[in-house]
Amino acid sequence: MAKRFMLSLSFCLLVLFQGSLARRQYQQQNECQLKRINAVEPDNRVECEAGIIESWDPSNHQQFRCAGVAVVRRLMQPNGLLLPSYSNSPQLIYIVRGTGMTGMLLPGCPETFQESQQSEGQGSSRFQDQHQKIRRFREGDILAIPAGVSHWCYNDGKEPVVTVSLFDISNSDNQLDNNPRNFYLAGNPEEVFQQTQEQRERQPPLYRRGQQSSCNNIFCGMDTRFIAEAFNVDEQVARRLQGENDNRGNIVKVKGGLQVVRPPTRLQEERAESEERDRERQRRANGIEETICTMRIKENIGDPSRADIFTPEAGRISTINSHNLPVLRSIQLSAERGVLYKDALVLPHWNLNAHSIMYVIRGRARCQVVDQNGDTVFDGEVREGQVLTVPQNFAVVKRAERERFEWISFKTNDNAMAAPLAGRTSAIRAMPVEVLANAFRISIEDARRIKFGQQETTLGSSKSQPGRAAA
Amino acid sequence: MAKRFMLSLSFCLLVLFQGSLARRQYQQQNECQLKRINAVEPDNRVECEAGIIESWDPSNHQQFRCAGVAVVRRLMQPNGLLLPSYSNSPQLIYIVRGTGMTGMLLPGCPETFQESQQSEGQGSSRFQDQHQKIRRFREGDILAIPAGVSHWCYNDGKEPVVTVSLFDISNSDNQLDNNPRNFYLAGNPEEVFQQTQEQRERQPPLYRRGQQSSCNNIFCGMDTRFIAEAFNVDEQVARRLQGENDNRGNIVKVKGGLQVVRPPTRLQEERAESEERDRERQRRANGIEETICTMRIKENIGDPSRADIFTPEAGRISTINSHNLPVLRSIQLSAERGVLYKDALVLPHWNLNAHSIMYVIRGRARCQVVDQNGDTVFDGEVREGQVLTVPQNFAVVKRAERERFEWISFKTNDNAMAAPLAGRTSAIRAMPVEVLANAFRISIEDARRIKFGQQETTLGSSKSQPGRAAA
Amino acid sequence: MAKRFMLSLSFCLLVLFQGSLARRQYQQQNECQLKRINAVEPDNRVECEAGIIESWDPSNHQQFRCAGVAVVRRLMQPNGLLLPSYSNSPQLIYIVRGTGMTGMLLPGCPETFQESQQSEGQGSSRFQDQHQKIRRFREGDILAIPAGVSHWCYNDGKEPVVTVSLFDISNSDNQLDNNPRNFYLAGNPEEVFQQTQEQRERQPPLYRRGQQSSCNNIFCGMDTRFIAEAFNVDEQVARRLQGENDNRGNIVKVKGGLQVVRPPTRLQEERAESEERDRERQRRANGIEETICTMRIKENIGDPSRADIFTPEAGRISTINSHNLPVLRSIQLSAERGVLYKDALVLPHWNLNAHSIMYVIRGRARCQVVDQNGDTVFDGEVREGQVLTVPQNFAVVKRAERERFEWISFKTNDNAMAAPLAGRTSAIRAMPVEVLANAFRISIEDARRIKFGQQETTLGSSKSQPGRAAA
């Protein structure tokens, strides 16, 4: 029966993660009447035993309330373990630096990673561990985590792991309200969003037992006897699940390193990834367990050879969307990784169907963001470690100033589209010269210059000289 | 032409009920910042000629505003007829007790139930009645009614019919605001939701004619001459449609019982249902009218043999979702019927992608509901006739106290998923023992106990002894 | 590479316009607690060089906030060019009068309209213009424009073009807030919605350069040097893009008429349209560029022979929905064009799954709109040039008074359904006579009259005499 149950659960998962198309909500409270957007640094910082968590809180920034998102940056020290948790919204995680592994816990999926008897060298086969699939990640990876699905991360490398996560609170997969929430399965983590934290301080809960302030995971709120009964253990062990007096925070140090069934090395991994892709292609003909429990939740967009748009003089852009990572179709997010060389330009454009939330990985750029009135809501420099939101339909232009500029942009649509204003794929190029001449009150000659002057798409190099126009 | 019109209407229905996927809205007003949830009884009661209607009003309870739902319980006496009406939101109706019949009025579908000449024994064939399909219902049935679709119900049994209905106001099929509304086609029913009632009292409408307070159906607001012209009857008959001075309420008594073309008996009915399911399977190849006008809108989940999860010592759970009742895919709701034996436990879990609104059919249970801060927002007993909401992602544990506990839970997703915290399909089981040991600061030995101690899924019997763990 | 880029863009478009199903949001702020609806004329008027733009602003009318829409009427003089712009919401445009052409600018689609060398008679082939497809429109056409997609219009006829546009702000394709916004690519147009205009006046923006009040398009907010660099032109030309001191408004006069690659004449056009439909049918087997860049965005519903419902004595109704214009599936709107002869009746009905926003093209009618309490929220005359909203589920009846009545109704669902209360496809007809008799407390005889009295569907002629009922 259990097997059938798992099967039925997996079948649900199939629908959950493939069939259900999350939709976004617009903001009803004039949250997008933005008079000014700022490039902002995190406004909250939580220190943990083996890392640091910083957050950009939507309650502090109208730009995030307009976009309906929250942003979190995590630094995990080597041997740091991010405690298992889930969120009320789907999230994308970009690995800025480092390597590690993660386990996404899908209810009903089989434990397919199994210790061999030899590797442990133990006499009793009963003690062999088995658990769900573990995935490795490395710099440049995007990980997609659906709402309500728990996961843990571990840094098994020698340098710190730095990640930036986007929580898509306005996603219709979130049926709660517009507050970001993390539910922890273990430990006693500090809440990373001030809002919730403050509210909690102001309004003491009605039911809290024992040493309240020292307890924050979801077992805390349950009766120890219930837990003991549910896990079939004694109450002393049950109490340990509640994580009281645990001061290690959300990222804990694993002494001696984590001994788990080793996921394959990077080379093996790449082979495995390509196999996953093969399997994806065959999916329609396949069984069910293979399709969900092994679904691909990551894709690397850091590799320069992966570029979707490349101009030798200007830079490159790699995109990830539901065409190259199908799980994004269900969580309705996509991302863009960009590199802009010194003095090069991202040609002016607007995001047709998505908000864009940009985190600067390296360097600095001058940006301008323009609203429907032609007003500049942002005009300034955006630097490494800052976040800048470009709302849907607002026009934007970027220019790398003095140094190379690298960024990751999260987009609130699984196939976010940019509509360029200049260059070979632009709206201007699509119009007849006569329409341009009349619209801009210019000569046919000038209209031709405007229309055919820029030969590039998306990225423009500053080496292009004025006057090179078709005229 | 009429036939073609019907065909085109049916085709629209096809899309309406199968293709359009309703999505939910989240609550933007911090409605889910729940500090405390209560198990609540109905807060409004309307007595009718042949029954009682009680409602749980979302304006009185934050838990219902968070979930975006309203709940109604109806008691219909034998020979009681629930007047035809439709709602601005889709609804699920659970038959707690009794048997009866219902007619769902689908615009454009043919009148397929026809009186035979013999049965009436009348000379004139012009007087034979014909009408749309009538469906029988019985204890344990779930009926799914799309938004805007009118229906009536009739108790043709010997005992009262008791039903509990969930109105999914936050469903995107509702394009009006977040107030539950019922539109009545006949009679002069009293509004069951206080909110609307109060608002109506405070703000008198601008146009009301004649004896206002004695008129509540949608014909009331129309000119009698218009009605006469539209129905091609004289004004005296037209006035009867407006239901003035009708004090019978929403459920009226049919003297002598309702004489309609008799729907088949239960045995015949079950055969018919299985035929419907066969037809459903063949649907892709079939014509249009068969697919919609005869679509299956009900499924029985009361029958013990129908259990999806069954543990002889603990109880059983039956679920209904879009896989076994396809119409649920369009209205994005599902349900779970559970039975928990004395002292047994529903293992701790969270609802991954849905709110859960539980109505207690029988007995009592101790429940605990925990939020993202580890705070217990509910800790107490929930009894027969009460409703308790468990918001999406909140953790919950239930234990039948002193007696058998039975419930129906409505879920705001057509494939609602629970993620267990303990047992064979749990998140804890999916993690490596080393992760558990480090997360909970416990020994490998204890981590193994926690991971492998509970062998059951979903339901746990209290007979399982602490110490039976894998170690 | 550019070709591959275009291909990938087109593929995105494929998903954008076909796969993504926009959903609507309900109104959370009791906006649909309508005590009174009025038939309203536009409340703002902007005069342009070659036309007039009038708007119905949602900030002034609860009925539009409830429906989540804004309405705009434009009059374009001969040789008038509506400057290119895009909106944060999808829109339907109905051509009330006149003929012209429009260009919808789809990013990444090829420039398929090309000047031949002969027609220009110029020596240098470098000067030949090429641009994206131009579509002709004429009276009775509905044009569908997705959110964020820019387009321009031009009146090349001899009489003024009059259009009425519905902006569907509550559509989930709009991720901004509930304010209608137009983003202009050129000129210095005045904002047509007062709300935004007022807010702008009250709260001066932080960054505005030069002569602020004389600049309103999206290039205004960008640095002239950036524009020069992006378009590879000198700064003087770049400055012309910003449209400073342009007082022509949104609709400008083209002196001597617009010289563009001529789209085919109407006859050729109809042939082309039928070819497009053919292509649509073959779409699944075809390549990508054909499917999107040539997608059909218009359909004529003004032609009497196109009627879907026709009663010689009463009038006719033509509908447009995602079955006859597939792009509507992605923008979730549909429309109905109706003609009601003198003294004829649109039988009472409710809109099952959509709001209906009616614009009166000609004549006048008496209307009654009824809410869930049986209260008449509208009872009066609606005349040419007025707009009246009928919210979802509200009952409505219309009667042409003294003259012929013509209207266009926009509906907020791609397959909007009406549920008639009287006539051959009505809910009343679908019920057993005995249910009617008991519900309305009338005799079986009267119930039969009510049920079978009206033989028509949707439209009723006043010539039908009371007493013609089946009895």
Side-chain angles (χ1 to χ4, degrees), chain A residues 1-2 5-6 9 11-13 15-16 19 21 23 25-29 81 83-84 86-88 105 107-108 111 126-127 129-132 134 147-150 152 169-170 172-179 181-183 185-187 196 199-200 203 205-209 215-223 225-226 229-233 237 240-241 244-246 248 253-254 258-260, chain B residues 23-33 35-36 66 309-310 321 323 329 343 345 347-348 350 352-355 366 368 370-379 391-397 399 412-413 415 417-422 424-425 427-435 438-442 445-446 448-454 457-458 462 464-471:
Chain A
M1 194 211 67
F5 177 60
M6 278 183 184
L9 262 176
F11 196 38
C12 284
L13 280 162
V15 171
L16 174 67
L21 299 182
R23 305 299 322 168
Q25 333 268 328
Y26 72 14
Q27 303 303 322
Q28 302 204 338
Q29 301 304 311
L81 171 70
L83 296 180
Y86 58 92
S87 163
N88 60 333
L105 313 173
E111 288 85 40
R126 280 202 330 249
F127 280 73
D129 195 16
Q130 54 183 35
H131 51 79
Q132 283 189 9
I134 291 178
V149 171
S150 56
W152 54 269
I169 308 164
S170 281
S172 70
D173 279 354
N174 172 24
Q175 296 189 4
L176 297 171
D177 55 28
N178 55 357
N179 296 297
R181 294 163 198 242
N182 285 303
F183 294 79
L185 300 193
T196 325
Q199 284 174 345
R200 194 182 162 198
Q203 303 170 19
L206 293 162
Y207 305 101
R208 300 215 71 180
R209 62 180 54 76
C215 189
N216 207 9
N217 77 48
I218 53 176
F219 290 112
C220 293
M222 292 181 201
D223 200 289
R225 280 174 305 133
F226 277 12
E229 206 172 319
F231 284 94
N232 204 6
V233 294
V237 173
R240 303 305 295 265
L241 294 185
E244 291 194 3
N245 301 316
D246 185 338
R248 299 173 302 166
K253 188 157 206 87
V254 177
L258 200 65
Q259 302 304 320
V260 297
Chain B
R23 305 300 320 167
R24 290 184 65 73
Q25 335 266 329
Y26 72 13
Q27 302 304 321
Q28 302 203 340
Q29 301 305 312
N30 292 331
E31 292 290 17
C32 294
Q33 293 286 4
K35 286 298 151 194
R36 179 176 196 157
C66 168
I309 294 166
F310 174 58
N321 55 41
H323 294 302
R329 179 145 176 79
D343 295 328
L345 210 67
L347 296 180
W350 73 91
L352 207 141
N353 57 0
H355 300 296
R366 170 107 184 274
Q368 292 184 326
V370 181
D371 73 6
Q372 76 278 4
N373 298 318
D375 296 334
T376 319
V377 292
F378 179 81
D379 180 8
Q392 184 192 20
N393 289 356
F394 282 42
V396 58
V397 58
R399 192 182 199 285
T412 58
N413 190 304
N415 279 293
M417 278 191 68
L421 280 162
R424 225 172 38 228
T425 56
I428 297 295
R429 183 72 79 100
M431 282 189 269
V433 161
E434 285 252 348
V435 170
N438 280 283
F440 293 121
R441 287 186 305 172
I442 52 179
E445 201 65 5
D446 277 349
R448 282 196 164 114
R449 279 200 189 93
I450 280 170
K451 186 168 169 176
F452 297 107
Q454 179 57 267
T457 58
T458 308
S462 61
S464 54
Q465 298 301 322
R468 221 186 62 186

Side-chain angles (χ1 to χ4, degrees), chain C residues 22-54:
Chain C
R23 304 302 318 169
R24 290 184 63 74
Q25 333 267 328
Y26 72 12
Q27 303 303 323
Q28 301 204 339
Q29 301 305 310
N30 292 331
E31 292 290 16
C32 294
Q33 293 287 2
L34 297 153
K35 285 298 151 194
R36 180 176 194 156
I37 300 175
N38 294 312
V40 284
E41 323 242 338
D43 41 38
N44 194 29
R45 179 186 168 98
V46 173
E47 307 245 357
C48 308
E49 189 188 35
I52 296 163
I53 301 181
E54 293 162 299

Side-chain angles (χ1 to χ4, degrees), chain B residues 101-163:
Chain B
M101 51 193 182
T102 184
M104 195 166 84
L105 313 172
L106 292 169
C109 285
E111 289 85 41
T112 49
F113 273 39
Q114 210 167 332
E115 282 177 6
S116 69
Q117 276 174 290
Q118 296 92 319
S119 71
E120 290 291 301
Q122 285 172 316
S124 164
S125 67
R126 279 200 335 248
F127 279 74
Q128 282 181 283
D129 194 17
Q130 53 183 36
H131 51 79
Q132 284 188 9
K133 177 172 178 167
I134 292 179
R135 290 156 165 100
R136 293 203 56 79
F137 59 78
R138 60 184 169 99
E139 185 178 323
D141 276 346
I142 283 273
L143 302 174
I145 314 280
V149 171
S150 57
H151 67 286
W152 54 270
C153 286
Y154 177 67
N155 179 357
D156 67 347
K158 296 215 157 55
E159 57 161 347
V161 164
V162 176
T163 68

Side-chain angles (χ1 to χ4, degrees), chain A residues 57-110:
Chain A
D57 198 314
S59 61
N60 295 335
H61 302 289
Q62 197 187 355
Q63 63 180 300
F64 297 131
R65 290 200 300 279
C66 168
V69 300
V71 182
V72 166
R73 181 169 61 197
R74 292 196 191 97
L75 183 145
M76 294 167 62
Q77 300 294 354
N79 288 336
L81 171 70
L82 178 67
L83 296 180
S85 69
Y86 58 92
S87 163
N88 60 333
S89 58
Q91 60 182 300
L92 289 188
I93 306 175
Y94 179 74
I95 311 297
V96 178
R97 207 143 52 93
T99 61
M101 51 191 182
T102 185
M104 196 165 83
L105 313 173
L106 292 169
C109 286

Side-chain angles (χ1 to χ4, degrees), chain B residues 72-285:
Chain B
V72 165
R73 180 171 60 197
R74 293 194 191 97
L75 184 145
M76 294 168 62
Q77 300 294 354
N79 288 335
L81 171 71
L82 178 67
L83 296 180
S85 69
Y86 57 94
S87 164
N88 60 334
S89 57
Q91 60 181 300
L92 288 189
I93 306 175
Y94 180 75
I95 311 298
V96 178
R97 206 140 54 92
T99 62
M101 51 193 182
T102 184
M104 195 166 84
L105 313 172
L106 292 169
C109 285
E111 289 85 41
T112 49
F113 273 39
Q114 210 167 332
E115 282 177 6
S116 69
Q117 276 174 290
Q118 296 92 319
S119 71
E120 290 291 301
Q122 285 172 316
S124 164
S125 67
R126 279 200 335 248
F127 279 74
Q128 282 181 283
D129 194 17
Q130 53 183 36
H131 51 79
Q132 284 188 9
K133 177 172 178 167
I134 292 179
R135 290 156 165 100
R136 293 203 56 79
F137 59 78
R138 60 184 169 99
E139 185 178 323
D141 276 346
I142 283 273
L143 302 174
I145 314 280
V149 171
S150 57
H151 67 286
W152 54 270
C153 286
Y154 177 67
N155 179 357
D156 67 347
K158 296 215 157 55
E159 57 161 347
V161 164
V162 176
T163 68
V164 176
S165 305
L166 182 94
F167 293 85
D168 185 23
I169 308 163
S170 281
N171 198 294
S172 70
D173 279 355
N174 172 25
Q175 296 188 4
L176 296 171
D177 54 29
N178 55 357
N179 296 297
R181 293 163 199 244
N182 284 302
F183 295 79
Y184 299 95
L185 301 193
N188 182 27
E190 201 174 323
E191 183 48 57
V192 294
F193 293 107
Q194 295 178 317
Q195 181 189 23
T196 326
Q197 203 181 20
E198 271 171 40
Q199 283 174 347
R200 195 181 162 199
E201 277 158 17
R202 275 195 302 260
Q203 304 170 20
L206 293 162
Y207 307 101
R208 300 215 72 180
R209 61 181 56 78
Q211 299 174 36
Q212 298 314 333
S213 53
S214 66
C215 190
N216 206 10
N217 78 48
I218 55 177
F219 290 111
C220 293
M222 292 180 198
D223 201 287
T224 313
R225 280 174 306 132
F226 277 13
I227 298 174
E229 208 172 316
F231 284 94
N232 204 7
V233 294
D234 58 40
E235 291 197 25
Q236 202 180 340
V237 173
R239 205 163 293 120
R240 303 305 295 266
L241 293 184
Q242 299 182 314
E244 291 194 1
N245 301 316
D246 185 337
N247 302 315
R248 299 174 301 166
N250 312 32
I251 303 171
V252 304
K253 188 158 207 86
V254 177
K255 280 167 200 89
L258 200 66
Q259 301 304 319
V260 298
V261 185
R262 283 265 133 204
T265 68
R266 182 164 154 187
L267 194 70
Q268 290 171 308
E269 154 123 327
E270 274 162 10
R271 210 173 296 147
E273 261 177 36
S274 109
E275 273 163 32
E276 270 179 25
R277 268 192 218 99
D278 288 350
R279 240 175 288 135
E280 219 159 65
R281 270 177 227 122
Q282 303 163 9
R283 210 161 258 191
R284 280 155 204 90

